[in-house]
Amino acid sequence: MESLRQQKVNKLLAKELAEIFRSESRSLFGGGFITVTTVRVSPDLSSAKVYLSIMANKDKTLVFKLIESQTNVIRKKLGLIVGKQLRIVPELMFYIDDSLDYAMKIEELLNK
């Protein structure tokens, strides 16, 4: 069960990371459409699991590798934004959220 503080930090990080991905998508990630679906921060707020959905791009793994290689840059930009609200900017771990693809596949199978 997440504490109220964790829930607030999750929302804050999701909002600010989404803005970073929106504004920096062209320069850092080759113009892919990246959305932050979920953020889960650890109880001590030192690490965060960020689940991303990558759309409108042929090679999702390439875009994901670009994101992983830019983790330090993303964390620094995040720190500049939330530095006054959080004492420690959490370490970011990115994961691909394929639940939308899975839902579309199930929908397609049900319509056959």
Side-chain angles (χ1 to χ4, degrees), residues 92-104:
L92 302 175
M93 296 170 284
F94 294 104
Y95 299 93
I96 293 180
D97 183 12
D98 58 354
S99 59
L100 182 63
D101 295 335
Y102 182 72
M104 289 174 60

Side-chain angles (χ1 to χ4, degrees), residues 44-56:
D44 63 353
L45 306 179
S46 66
S47 64
K49 292 181 180 180
V50 181
Y51 294 88
L52 303 173
S53 177
I54 302 170
M55 294 175 271

